[in-house]
Amino acid sequence: RYLLPSGRWKFKEQKNTTLVLRDDRRWLILSPSKKTFHAQIVSGDEPRWNPSMPSQMLLIHGNELWLVTKESDPRVLWRQSKPIRQAVWHPEGEDIFLATSKEIFALHLSEGREVQMTHLHTWDEIKDLTFAGDDLFIAGTKDHITGLWKLTVE
């Protein structure tokens, strides 16, 4: 038996043996097993699950990007003064693409705890981004033209 923290917790989803409950912008990550019961509470918007490692997810919390890994302490991957518009995993799960209101960055997670950051491009304004296949699609304005832009990632 596990007593829930105070709040209005509702089941959001299940990933393998991980249960995810939500209370507004708080997330309760439960990892029950036969011998132990691991629980984490983190804050942020919608989880972005790693496509190649279902025990990892990203959460945006204002100007911070958090990596939450099952049965490990959450850690900050990015903290800057500007809010994050969006963050998406590369389909292979080792890289993350992050957008602020004007810039796109790639974050590479090495096997250690180090994060390598690369600035990819600057737009007039970025509204959103997503991956489709090997391409990163950006909704925004570039050179005073508003549209959907494609950035091929190698």
Side-chain angles (χ1 to χ4, degrees):
R1 178 172 94 148
Y2 179 78
L3 298 176
L4 294 173
S6 64
R8 300 179 66 164
W9 296 101
K10 295 180 181 178
F11 283 106
K12 174 66 178 167
E13 61 186 304
Q14 177 182 350
K15 290 285 185 183
N16 296 332
T17 60
T18 301
L19 301 173
V20 180
L21 288 83
R22 181 178 189 168
D23 173 34
D24 192 29
R25 291 181 57 86
R26 292 190 312 156
W27 299 87
L28 179 60
I29 315 300
L30 300 174
S31 304
S33 71
K34 292 180 182 178
K35 296 181 181 179
T36 62
F37 200 90
H38 184 78
Q40 297 172 295
I41 296 178
V42 292
S43 294
D45 65 350
E46 292 288 324
R48 293 146 181 87
W49 293 97
N50 186 328
S52 68
M53 189 179 292
S55 64
Q56 286 187 331
M57 71 175 184
L58 299 171
L59 288 172
I60 296 173
H61 187 75
N63 62 337
E64 298 175 339
L65 180 66
W66 286 80
L67 175 66
V68 180
T69 303
K70 181 178 170 179
E71 299 183 18
S72 296
D73 289 334
R75 70 179 178 130
V76 176
L77 297 178
W78 172 278
R79 181 181 286 137
Q80 297 289 326
S81 60
K82 296 177 183 169
I84 299 168
R85 288 277 170 100
Q86 184 59 278
V88 294
W89 287 99
H90 185 278
E92 294 177 8
E94 293 179 0
D95 296 299
I96 299 161
F97 295 86
L98 176 143
T100 65
S101 63
K102 294 184 181 278
E103 297 176 289
I104 295 180
F105 298 89
L107 305 177
H108 177 73
L109 304 178
S110 63
E111 290 188 22
R113 294 187 57 87
E114 188 176 320
V115 177
Q116 299 169 353
M117 189 229 2
T118 304
H119 180 266
L120 295 180
H121 213 287
T122 301
W123 265 256
D124 298 339
E125 181 179 23
I126 298 170
K127 295 288 188 184
D128 203 359
L129 78 145
T130 192
F131 247 103
D134 291 331
D135 297 316
L136 189 61
F137 287 89
I138 301 100
T141 304
K142 179 180 171 187
D143 300 327
H144 307 291
I145 300 170
T146 300
L148 183 63
W149 304 89
K150 180 173 91 167
L151 185 61
T152 300
V153 179
E154 297 177 13

